[in-house]
Amino acid sequence: MIQKPYVQLMARYNEWQNRSCYREAGRLSDVDRKADRGAFHKSIAGTLSHILWGDQIWMSRFAGTPPPRAKSIADSSLAYERFEDLAAERVRFDAVIAAWADEVDPDWFDGDLTWFSGATGRELTRPRALLVMQMFNHQTHHRGQAHAMLTALGMKPDDTDIPFMPGL
């Protein structure tokens, strides 16, 4: 289904796109970042926090990294009061994802993962490769929402197309 080079590419893409969104979000006032803009996680800050939460919960399952500070999806958008703390943790955790992508054994993708899903309230088992794709798809989905909110405010995040990623 997927191979290690895909995971490495997506980890780099994630890092690039996060730098872009956080750069532009960092130019806004805290009030603008936290304003309810009608997105699923309401605000730019809430959406960016939720993306980080999703990455941390999946990586805790994939690689045994510490779980996120927020204990549930409902709390995921409220995990960081200060944008500076959220941004610093994002940079730190992007390095964790990139290192995992570089170090993961290619055979790891062939197995299944069993975990308790808070979203469904039950234990699930799914192919690891599928779940890794879900992590990257989740990032892209919600980061697209953040990108749209930033653009609506006149900010200029980078293009989101993989072929335009620097270094390709």
Side-chain angles (χ1 to χ4, degrees), residues 68-104:
R69 66 168 60 180
K71 302 301 180 203
S72 69
I73 293 171
D75 295 335
S76 66
S77 60
L78 307 171
Y80 294 87
E81 178 62 31
R82 290 176 11 99
F83 181 75
E84 296 79 9
D85 297 336
L86 173 62
E89 181 60 14
R90 179 75 265 179
V91 169
R92 186 195 75 75
F93 206 74
D94 282 348
V96 169
I97 294 171
W100 173 78
D102 287 340
E103 296 166 5
V104 67

PDB file of all heavy atoms in Angstrom, residues 68-104:
ATOM      1  N   PRO A  68      -0.529  13.146  23.665  1.00  0.00           N
ATOM      2  CA  PRO A  68      -0.718  14.599  23.740  1.00  0.00           C
ATOM      3  C   PRO A  68      -1.217  15.026  25.115  1.00  0.00           C
ATOM      4  O   PRO A  68      -1.764  14.222  25.871  1.00  0.00           O
ATOM      5  CB  PRO A  68      -1.775  14.874  22.664  1.00  0.00           C
ATOM      6  CG  PRO A  68      -2.433  13.576  22.407  1.00  0.00           C
ATOM      7  CD  PRO A  68      -1.461  12.503  22.740  1.00  0.00           C
ATOM      8  N   ARG A  69      -1.048  16.305  25.419  1.00  0.00           N
ATOM      9  CA  ARG A  69      -1.494  16.825  26.714  1.00  0.00           C
ATOM     10  C   ARG A  69      -3.010  16.835  26.824  1.00  0.00           C
ATOM     11  O   ARG A  69      -3.538  16.606  27.899  1.00  0.00           O
ATOM     12  CB  ARG A  69      -0.905  18.198  27.006  1.00  0.00           C
ATOM     13  CG  ARG A  69      -1.373  19.293  26.070  1.00  0.00           C
ATOM     14  CD  ARG A  69      -1.038  20.698  26.512  1.00  0.00           C
ATOM     15  NE  ARG A  69       0.382  20.929  26.651  1.00  0.00           N
ATOM     16  CZ  ARG A  69       0.902  22.077  27.020  1.00  0.00           C
ATOM     17  NH1 ARG A  69       0.132  23.098  27.282  1.00  0.00           N
ATOM     18  NH2 ARG A  69       2.190  22.238  27.118  1.00  0.00           N
ATOM     19  N   ALA A  70      -3.718  17.102  25.730  1.00  0.00           N
ATOM     20  CA  ALA A  70      -5.185  17.037  25.741  1.00  0.00           C
ATOM     21  C   ALA A  70      -5.597  15.570  25.712  1.00  0.00           C
ATOM     22  O   ALA A  70      -5.046  14.779  24.953  1.00  0.00           O
ATOM     23  CB  ALA A  70      -5.772  17.782  24.549  1.00  0.00           C
ATOM     24  N   LYS A  71      -6.564  15.203  26.516  1.00  0.00           N
ATOM     25  CA  LYS A  71      -6.954  13.806  26.663  1.00  0.00           C
ATOM     26  C   LYS A  71      -8.020  13.365  25.670  1.00  0.00           C
ATOM     27  O   LYS A  71      -8.310  12.177  25.570  1.00  0.00           O
ATOM     28  CB  LYS A  71      -7.433  13.538  28.091  1.00  0.00           C
ATOM     29  CG  LYS A  71      -6.403  13.848  29.151  1.00  0.00           C
ATOM     30  CD  LYS A  71      -5.142  13.040  28.958  1.00  0.00           C
ATOM     31  CE  LYS A  71      -4.110  13.360  30.020  1.00  0.00           C
ATOM     32  NZ  LYS A  71      -2.768  13.048  29.630  1.00  0.00           N
ATOM     33  N   SER A  72      -8.623  14.308  24.938  1.00  0.00           N
ATOM     34  CA  SER A  72      -9.715  13.925  24.044  1.00  0.00           C
ATOM     35  C   SER A  72      -9.752  14.849  22.825  1.00  0.00           C
ATOM     36  O   SER A  72      -9.173  15.942  22.845  1.00  0.00           O
ATOM     37  CB  SER A  72     -11.049  14.010  24.774  1.00  0.00           C
ATOM     38  OG  SER A  72     -11.374  15.365  25.046  1.00  0.00           O
ATOM     39  N   ILE A  73     -10.464  14.401  21.811  1.00  0.00           N
ATOM     40  CA  ILE A  73     -10.671  15.236  20.628  1.00  0.00           C
ATOM     41  C   ILE A  73     -11.333  16.549  21.025  1.00  0.00           C
ATOM     42  O   ILE A  73     -10.952  17.620  20.542  1.00  0.00           O
ATOM     43  CB  ILE A  73     -11.527  14.489  19.583  1.00  0.00           C
ATOM     44  CG1 ILE A  73     -10.752  13.297  19.012  1.00  0.00           C
ATOM     45  CG2 ILE A  73     -11.953  15.433  18.455  1.00  0.00           C
ATOM     46  CD1 ILE A  73     -11.590  12.381  18.144  1.00  0.00           C
ATOM     47  N   ALA A  74     -12.298  16.470  21.924  1.00  0.00           N
ATOM     48  CA  ALA A  74     -13.023  17.670  22.348  1.00  0.00           C
ATOM     49  C   ALA A  74     -12.093  18.716  22.966  1.00  0.00           C
ATOM     50  O   ALA A  74     -12.315  19.918  22.805  1.00  0.00           O
ATOM     51  CB  ALA A  74     -14.120  17.293  23.340  1.00  0.00           C
ATOM     52  N   ASP A  75     -11.057  18.262  23.651  1.00  0.00           N
ATOM     53  CA  ASP A  75     -10.110  19.177  24.293  1.00  0.00           C
ATOM     54  C   ASP A  75      -8.921  19.541  23.411  1.00  0.00           C
ATOM     55  O   ASP A  75      -8.100  20.373  23.783  1.00  0.00           O
ATOM     56  CB  ASP A  75      -9.576  18.564  25.595  1.00  0.00           C
ATOM     57  CG  ASP A  75     -10.659  18.389  26.639  1.00  0.00           C
ATOM     58  OD1 ASP A  75     -11.667  19.114  26.595  1.00  0.00           O
ATOM     59  OD2 ASP A  75     -10.480  17.510  27.505  1.00  0.00           O
ATOM     60  N   SER A  76      -8.814  18.901  22.248  1.00  0.00           N
ATOM     61  CA  SER A  76      -7.618  19.040  21.422  1.00  0.00           C
ATOM     62  C   SER A  76      -7.379  20.458  20.920  1.00  0.00           C
ATOM     63  O   SER A  76      -6.233  20.854  20.708  1.00  0.00           O
ATOM     64  CB  SER A  76      -7.680  18.081  20.238  1.00  0.00           C
ATOM     65  OG  SER A  76      -8.728  18.433  19.344  1.00  0.00           O
ATOM     66  N   SER A  77      -8.426  21.218  20.726  1.00  0.00           N
ATOM     67  CA  SER A  77      -8.261  22.577  20.212  1.00  0.00           C
ATOM     68  C   SER A  77      -7.923  23.586  21.311  1.00  0.00           C
ATOM     69  O   SER A  77      -7.624  24.736  21.016  1.00  0.00           O
ATOM     70  CB  SER A  77      -9.515  23.020  19.456  1.00  0.00           C
ATOM     71  OG  SER A  77     -10.627  22.995  20.306  1.00  0.00           O
ATOM     72  N   LEU A  78      -7.938  23.135  22.558  1.00  0.00           N
ATOM     73  CA  LEU A  78      -7.716  24.034  23.691  1.00  0.00           C
ATOM     74  C   LEU A  78      -6.446  23.711  24.468  1.00  0.00           C
ATOM     75  O   LEU A  78      -6.266  24.202  25.578  1.00  0.00           O
ATOM     76  CB  LEU A  78      -8.918  23.955  24.649  1.00  0.00           C
ATOM     77  CG  LEU A  78     -10.289  24.191  24.019  1.00  0.00           C
ATOM     78  CD1 LEU A  78     -11.385  23.862  25.009  1.00  0.00           C
ATOM     79  CD2 LEU A  78     -10.402  25.606  23.507  1.00  0.00           C
ATOM     80  N   ALA A  79      -5.582  22.896  23.907  1.00  0.00           N
ATOM     81  CA  ALA A  79      -4.435  22.382  24.656  1.00  0.00           C
ATOM     82  C   ALA A  79      -3.366  23.438  24.953  1.00  0.00           C
ATOM     83  O   ALA A  79      -2.597  23.272  25.895  1.00  0.00           O
ATOM     84  CB  ALA A  79      -3.813  21.202  23.909  1.00  0.00           C
ATOM     85  N   TYR A  80      -3.309  24.499  24.162  1.00  0.00           N
ATOM     86  CA  TYR A  80      -2.253  25.505  24.328  1.00  0.00           C
ATOM     87  C   TYR A  80      -2.878  26.887  24.452  1.00  0.00           C
ATOM     88  O   TYR A  80      -3.504  27.376  23.518  1.00  0.00           O
ATOM     89  CB  TYR A  80      -1.281  25.477  23.139  1.00  0.00           C
ATOM     90  CG  TYR A  80      -0.511  24.184  23.073  1.00  0.00           C
ATOM     91  CD1 TYR A  80      -1.027  23.080  22.411  1.00  0.00           C
ATOM     92  CD2 TYR A  80       0.722  24.066  23.705  1.00  0.00           C
ATOM     93  CE1 TYR A  80      -0.337  21.886  22.368  1.00  0.00           C
ATOM     94  CE2 TYR A  80       1.425  22.878  23.666  1.00  0.00           C
ATOM     95  CZ  TYR A  80       0.892  21.788  23.004  1.00  0.00           C
ATOM     96  OH  TYR A  80       1.574  20.608  22.966  1.00  0.00           O
ATOM     97  N   GLU A  81      -2.671  27.514  25.577  1.00  0.00           N
ATOM     98  CA  GLU A  81      -3.174  28.867  25.789  1.00  0.00           C
ATOM     99  C   GLU A  81      -2.352  29.873  24.985  1.00  0.00           C
ATOM    100  O   GLU A  81      -2.890  30.785  24.384  1.00  0.00           O
ATOM    101  CB  GLU A  81      -3.136  29.219  27.279  1.00  0.00           C
ATOM    102  CG  GLU A  81      -3.591  30.618  27.602  1.00  0.00           C
ATOM    103  CD  GLU A  81      -5.038  30.904  27.222  1.00  0.00           C
ATOM    104  OE1 GLU A  81      -5.876  29.981  27.256  1.00  0.00           O
ATOM    105  OE2 GLU A  81      -5.332  32.068  26.871  1.00  0.00           O
ATOM    106  N   ARG A  82      -1.039  29.672  24.980  1.00  0.00           N
ATOM    107  CA  ARG A  82      -0.141  30.605  24.299  1.00  0.00           C
ATOM    108  C   ARG A  82       0.267  30.054  22.937  1.00  0.00           C
ATOM    109  O   ARG A  82       0.741  28.924  22.828  1.00  0.00           O
ATOM    110  CB  ARG A  82       1.109  30.858  25.143  1.00  0.00           C
ATOM    111  CG  ARG A  82       0.848  31.660  26.409  1.00  0.00           C
ATOM    112  CD  ARG A  82       2.086  31.818  27.302  1.00  0.00           C
ATOM    113  NE  ARG A  82       3.358  31.420  26.744  1.00  0.00           N
ATOM    114  CZ  ARG A  82       4.272  32.249  26.207  1.00  0.00           C
ATOM    115  NH1 ARG A  82       4.046  33.550  26.180  1.00  0.00           N
ATOM    116  NH2 ARG A  82       5.417  31.786  25.737  1.00  0.00           N
ATOM    117  N   PHE A  83       0.111  30.867  21.898  1.00  0.00           N
ATOM    118  CA  PHE A  83       0.471  30.460  20.550  1.00  0.00           C
ATOM    119  C   PHE A  83       1.954  30.121  20.456  1.00  0.00           C
ATOM    120  O   PHE A  83       2.343  29.190  19.746  1.00  0.00           O
ATOM    121  CB  PHE A  83       0.108  31.559  19.537  1.00  0.00           C
ATOM    122  CG  PHE A  83       0.440  31.183  18.127  1.00  0.00           C
ATOM    123  CD1 PHE A  83      -0.339  30.265  17.438  1.00  0.00           C
ATOM    124  CD2 PHE A  83       1.535  31.739  17.488  1.00  0.00           C
ATOM    125  CE1 PHE A  83      -0.032  29.896  16.132  1.00  0.00           C
ATOM    126  CE2 PHE A  83       1.852  31.381  16.181  1.00  0.00           C
ATOM    127  CZ  PHE A  83       1.062  30.459  15.505  1.00  0.00           C
ATOM    128  N   GLU A  84       2.782  30.850  21.185  1.00  0.00           N
ATOM    129  CA  GLU A  84       4.222  30.601  21.154  1.00  0.00           C
ATOM    130  C   GLU A  84       4.540  29.182  21.629  1.00  0.00           C
ATOM    131  O   GLU A  84       5.445  28.530  21.089  1.00  0.00           O
ATOM    132  CB  GLU A  84       4.970  31.637  22.011  1.00  0.00           C
ATOM    133  CG  GLU A  84       4.850  33.062  21.506  1.00  0.00           C
ATOM    134  CD  GLU A  84       3.515  33.746  21.855  1.00  0.00           C
ATOM    135  OE1 GLU A  84       2.707  33.188  22.642  1.00  0.00           O
ATOM    136  OE2 GLU A  84       3.278  34.836  21.310  1.00  0.00           O
ATOM    137  N   ASP A  85       3.814  28.703  22.621  1.00  0.00           N
ATOM    138  CA  ASP A  85       4.020  27.343  23.119  1.00  0.00           C
ATOM    139  C   ASP A  85       3.561  26.311  22.092  1.00  0.00           C
ATOM    140  O   ASP A  85       4.226  25.294  21.877  1.00  0.00           O
ATOM    141  CB  ASP A  85       3.286  27.132  24.440  1.00  0.00           C
ATOM    142  CG  ASP A  85       3.806  28.028  25.554  1.00  0.00           C
ATOM    143  OD1 ASP A  85       4.971  28.475  25.480  1.00  0.00           O
ATOM    144  OD2 ASP A  85       3.041  28.282  26.497  1.00  0.00           O
ATOM    145  N   LEU A  86       2.425  26.566  21.473  1.00  0.00           N
ATOM    146  CA  LEU A  86       1.921  25.686  20.417  1.00  0.00           C
ATOM    147  C   LEU A  86       2.914  25.630  19.261  1.00  0.00           C
ATOM    148  O   LEU A  86       3.253  24.547  18.763  1.00  0.00           O
ATOM    149  CB  LEU A  86       0.552  26.170  19.933  1.00  0.00           C
ATOM    150  CG  LEU A  86      -0.044  25.472  18.713  1.00  0.00           C
ATOM    151  CD1 LEU A  86      -0.286  23.995  18.980  1.00  0.00           C
ATOM    152  CD2 LEU A  86      -1.341  26.176  18.297  1.00  0.00           C
ATOM    153  N   ALA A  87       3.402  26.779  18.828  1.00  0.00           N
ATOM    154  CA  ALA A  87       4.334  26.839  17.706  1.00  0.00           C
ATOM    155  C   ALA A  87       5.639  26.105  18.027  1.00  0.00           C
ATOM    156  O   ALA A  87       6.172  25.374  17.182  1.00  0.00           O
ATOM    157  CB  ALA A  87       4.612  28.298  17.327  1.00  0.00           C
ATOM    158  N   ALA A  88       6.144  26.274  19.238  1.00  0.00           N
ATOM    159  CA  ALA A  88       7.384  25.590  19.622  1.00  0.00           C
ATOM    160  C   ALA A  88       7.182  24.079  19.649  1.00  0.00           C
ATOM    161  O   ALA A  88       8.049  23.319  19.194  1.00  0.00           O
ATOM    162  CB  ALA A  88       7.863  26.096  20.985  1.00  0.00           C
ATOM    163  N   GLU A  89       6.056  23.639  20.170  1.00  0.00           N
ATOM    164  CA  GLU A  89       5.778  22.200  20.209  1.00  0.00           C
ATOM    165  C   GLU A  89       5.575  21.643  18.806  1.00  0.00           C
ATOM    166  O   GLU A  89       5.973  20.519  18.514  1.00  0.00           O
ATOM    167  CB  GLU A  89       4.566  21.905  21.092  1.00  0.00           C
ATOM    168  CG  GLU A  89       4.229  20.440  21.210  1.00  0.00           C
ATOM    169  CD  GLU A  89       5.329  19.557  21.800  1.00  0.00           C
ATOM    170  OE1 GLU A  89       6.307  20.078  22.379  1.00  0.00           O
ATOM    171  OE2 GLU A  89       5.220  18.316  21.669  1.00  0.00           O
ATOM    172  N   ARG A  90       5.003  22.434  17.921  1.00  0.00           N
ATOM    173  CA  ARG A  90       4.819  21.991  16.540  1.00  0.00           C
ATOM    174  C   ARG A  90       6.168  21.732  15.876  1.00  0.00           C
ATOM    175  O   ARG A  90       6.369  20.706  15.226  1.00  0.00           O
ATOM    176  CB  ARG A  90       4.030  23.049  15.750  1.00  0.00           C
ATOM    177  CG  ARG A  90       3.779  22.725  14.290  1.00  0.00           C
ATOM    178  CD  ARG A  90       2.710  21.677  14.111  1.00  0.00           C
ATOM    179  NE  ARG A  90       3.258  20.342  13.993  1.00  0.00           N
ATOM    180  CZ  ARG A  90       2.507  19.245  13.848  1.00  0.00           C
ATOM    181  NH1 ARG A  90       1.191  19.325  13.826  1.00  0.00           N
ATOM    182  NH2 ARG A  90       3.061  18.067  13.754  1.00  0.00           N
ATOM    183  N   VAL A  91       7.099  22.663  16.031  1.00  0.00           N
ATOM    184  CA  VAL A  91       8.439  22.507  15.450  1.00  0.00           C
ATOM    185  C   VAL A  91       9.107  21.265  16.038  1.00  0.00           C
ATOM    186  O   VAL A  91       9.674  20.446  15.309  1.00  0.00           O
ATOM    187  CB  VAL A  91       9.297  23.769  15.683  1.00  0.00           C
ATOM    188  CG1 VAL A  91      10.758  23.511  15.334  1.00  0.00           C
ATOM    189  CG2 VAL A  91       8.735  24.935  14.886  1.00  0.00           C
ATOM    190  N   ARG A  92       9.036  21.133  17.345  1.00  0.00           N
ATOM    191  CA  ARG A  92       9.654  19.981  18.003  1.00  0.00           C
ATOM    192  C   ARG A  92       9.042  18.679  17.497  1.00  0.00           C
ATOM    193  O   ARG A  92       9.749  17.729  17.163  1.00  0.00           O
ATOM    194  CB  ARG A  92       9.492  20.080  19.520  1.00  0.00           C
ATOM    195  CG  ARG A  92      10.256  18.974  20.277  1.00  0.00           C
ATOM    196  CD  ARG A  92       9.809  18.844  21.723  1.00  0.00           C
ATOM    197  NE  ARG A  92       8.527  18.206  21.849  1.00  0.00           N
ATOM    198  CZ  ARG A  92       8.289  16.881  21.705  1.00  0.00           C
ATOM    199  NH1 ARG A  92       9.276  16.062  21.406  1.00  0.00           N
ATOM    200  NH2 ARG A  92       7.078  16.387  21.858  1.00  0.00           N
ATOM    201  N   PHE A  93       7.719  18.643  17.394  1.00  0.00           N
ATOM    202  CA  PHE A  93       7.080  17.387  17.025  1.00  0.00           C
ATOM    203  C   PHE A  93       7.225  17.075  15.539  1.00  0.00           C
ATOM    204  O   PHE A  93       7.254  15.902  15.163  1.00  0.00           O
ATOM    205  CB  PHE A  93       5.613  17.354  17.462  1.00  0.00           C
ATOM    206  CG  PHE A  93       5.145  15.948  17.672  1.00  0.00           C
ATOM    207  CD1 PHE A  93       5.548  15.231  18.784  1.00  0.00           C
ATOM    208  CD2 PHE A  93       4.356  15.316  16.730  1.00  0.00           C
ATOM    209  CE1 PHE A  93       5.165  13.910  18.967  1.00  0.00           C
ATOM    210  CE2 PHE A  93       3.961  13.994  16.908  1.00  0.00           C
ATOM    211  CZ  PHE A  93       4.364  13.291  18.026  1.00  0.00           C
ATOM    212  N   ASP A  94       7.331  18.078  14.707  1.00  0.00           N
ATOM    213  CA  ASP A  94       7.614  17.805  13.290  1.00  0.00           C
ATOM    214  C   ASP A  94       8.951  17.082  13.144  1.00  0.00           C
ATOM    215  O   ASP A  94       9.091  16.197  12.288  1.00  0.00           O
ATOM    216  CB  ASP A  94       7.607  19.093  12.471  1.00  0.00           C
ATOM    217  CG  ASP A  94       6.205  19.574  12.170  1.00  0.00           C
ATOM    218  OD1 ASP A  94       5.231  18.818  12.380  1.00  0.00           O
ATOM    219  OD2 ASP A  94       6.073  20.725  11.702  1.00  0.00           O
ATOM    220  N   ALA A  95       9.917  17.421  13.978  1.00  0.00           N
ATOM    221  CA  ALA A  95      11.204  16.723  13.955  1.00  0.00           C
ATOM    222  C   ALA A  95      11.044  15.273  14.410  1.00  0.00           C
ATOM    223  O   ALA A  95      11.721  14.378  13.883  1.00  0.00           O
ATOM    224  CB  ALA A  95      12.227  17.456  14.822  1.00  0.00           C
ATOM    225  N   VAL A  96      10.151  15.031  15.353  1.00  0.00           N
ATOM    226  CA  VAL A  96       9.872  13.665  15.805  1.00  0.00           C
ATOM    227  C   VAL A  96       9.288  12.841  14.656  1.00  0.00           C
ATOM    228  O   VAL A  96       9.707  11.705  14.408  1.00  0.00           O
ATOM    229  CB  VAL A  96       8.909  13.669  17.021  1.00  0.00           C
ATOM    230  CG1 VAL A  96       8.390  12.272  17.339  1.00  0.00           C
ATOM    231  CG2 VAL A  96       9.587  14.285  18.234  1.00  0.00           C
ATOM    232  N   ILE A  97       8.322  13.409  13.945  1.00  0.00           N
ATOM    233  CA  ILE A  97       7.712  12.703  12.815  1.00  0.00           C
ATOM    234  C   ILE A  97       8.743  12.424  11.731  1.00  0.00           C
ATOM    235  O   ILE A  97       8.809  11.309  11.191  1.00  0.00           O
ATOM    236  CB  ILE A  97       6.513  13.497  12.254  1.00  0.00           C
ATOM    237  CG1 ILE A  97       5.387  13.575  13.279  1.00  0.00           C
ATOM    238  CG2 ILE A  97       6.003  12.862  10.957  1.00  0.00           C
ATOM    239  CD1 ILE A  97       4.261  14.527  12.897  1.00  0.00           C
ATOM    240  N   ALA A  98       9.554  13.419  11.408  1.00  0.00           N
ATOM    241  CA  ALA A  98      10.573  13.251  10.368  1.00  0.00           C
ATOM    242  C   ALA A  98      11.594  12.185  10.760  1.00  0.00           C
ATOM    243  O   ALA A  98      11.991  11.355   9.925  1.00  0.00           O
ATOM    244  CB  ALA A  98      11.264  14.582  10.080  1.00  0.00           C
ATOM    245  N   ALA A  99      12.020  12.183  12.011  1.00  0.00           N
ATOM    246  CA  ALA A  99      12.981  11.177  12.470  1.00  0.00           C
ATOM    247  C   ALA A  99      12.363   9.778  12.401  1.00  0.00           C
ATOM    248  O   ALA A  99      13.009   8.822  11.965  1.00  0.00           O
ATOM    249  CB  ALA A  99      13.452  11.496  13.888  1.00  0.00           C
ATOM    250  N   TRP A 100      11.113   9.657  12.813  1.00  0.00           N
ATOM    251  CA  TRP A 100      10.427   8.361  12.737  1.00  0.00           C
ATOM    252  C   TRP A 100      10.342   7.896  11.288  1.00  0.00           C
ATOM    253  O   TRP A 100      10.602   6.729  10.994  1.00  0.00           O
ATOM    254  CB  TRP A 100       9.036   8.460  13.364  1.00  0.00           C
ATOM    255  CG  TRP A 100       8.223   7.218  13.177  1.00  0.00           C
ATOM    256  CD1 TRP A 100       8.341   6.049  13.887  1.00  0.00           C
ATOM    257  CD2 TRP A 100       7.187   7.009  12.224  1.00  0.00           C
ATOM    258  NE1 TRP A 100       7.430   5.130  13.413  1.00  0.00           N
ATOM    259  CE2 TRP A 100       6.712   5.697  12.395  1.00  0.00           C
ATOM    260  CE3 TRP A 100       6.620   7.813  11.228  1.00  0.00           C
ATOM    261  CZ2 TRP A 100       5.692   5.173  11.613  1.00  0.00           C
ATOM    262  CZ3 TRP A 100       5.603   7.287  10.457  1.00  0.00           C
ATOM    263  CH2 TRP A 100       5.149   5.985  10.657  1.00  0.00           C
ATOM    264  N   ALA A 101       9.991   8.803  10.387  1.00  0.00           N
ATOM    265  CA  ALA A 101       9.875   8.446   8.970  1.00  0.00           C
ATOM    266  C   ALA A 101      11.207   7.942   8.420  1.00  0.00           C
ATOM    267  O   ALA A 101      11.238   7.024   7.601  1.00  0.00           O
ATOM    268  CB  ALA A 101       9.388   9.645   8.164  1.00  0.00           C
ATOM    269  N   ASP A 102      12.301   8.528   8.884  1.00  0.00           N
ATOM    270  CA  ASP A 102      13.620   8.103   8.424  1.00  0.00           C
ATOM    271  C   ASP A 102      14.060   6.780   9.051  1.00  0.00           C
ATOM    272  O   ASP A 102      14.816   6.028   8.443  1.00  0.00           O
ATOM    273  CB  ASP A 102      14.667   9.179   8.729  1.00  0.00           C
ATOM    274  CG  ASP A 102      14.542  10.391   7.819  1.00  0.00           C
ATOM    275  OD1 ASP A 102      13.936  10.269   6.729  1.00  0.00           O
ATOM    276  OD2 ASP A 102      15.041  11.465   8.213  1.00  0.00           O
ATOM    277  N   GLU A 103      13.585   6.506  10.267  1.00  0.00           N
ATOM    278  CA  GLU A 103      14.070   5.343  11.015  1.00  0.00           C
ATOM    279  C   GLU A 103      13.149   4.120  10.955  1.00  0.00           C
ATOM    280  O   GLU A 103      13.593   3.015  11.259  1.00  0.00           O
ATOM    281  CB  GLU A 103      14.275   5.737  12.482  1.00  0.00           C
ATOM    282  CG  GLU A 103      15.354   6.785  12.672  1.00  0.00           C
ATOM    283  CD  GLU A 103      15.326   7.427  14.057  1.00  0.00           C
ATOM    284  OE1 GLU A 103      14.526   6.996  14.918  1.00  0.00           O
ATOM    285  OE2 GLU A 103      16.098   8.383  14.267  1.00  0.00           O
ATOM    286  N   VAL A 104      11.895   4.304  10.590  1.00  0.00           N
ATOM    287  CA  VAL A 104      10.945   3.193  10.646  1.00  0.00           C
ATOM    288  C   VAL A 104      11.387   2.055   9.719  1.00  0.00           C
ATOM    289  O   VAL A 104      11.848   2.296   8.600  1.00  0.00           O
ATOM    290  CB  VAL A 104       9.505   3.666  10.322  1.00  0.00           C
ATOM    291  CG1 VAL A 104       9.352   4.129   8.879  1.00  0.00           C
ATOM    292  CG2 VAL A 104       8.480   2.585  10.662  1.00  0.00           C
TER     293      VAL A 104
END
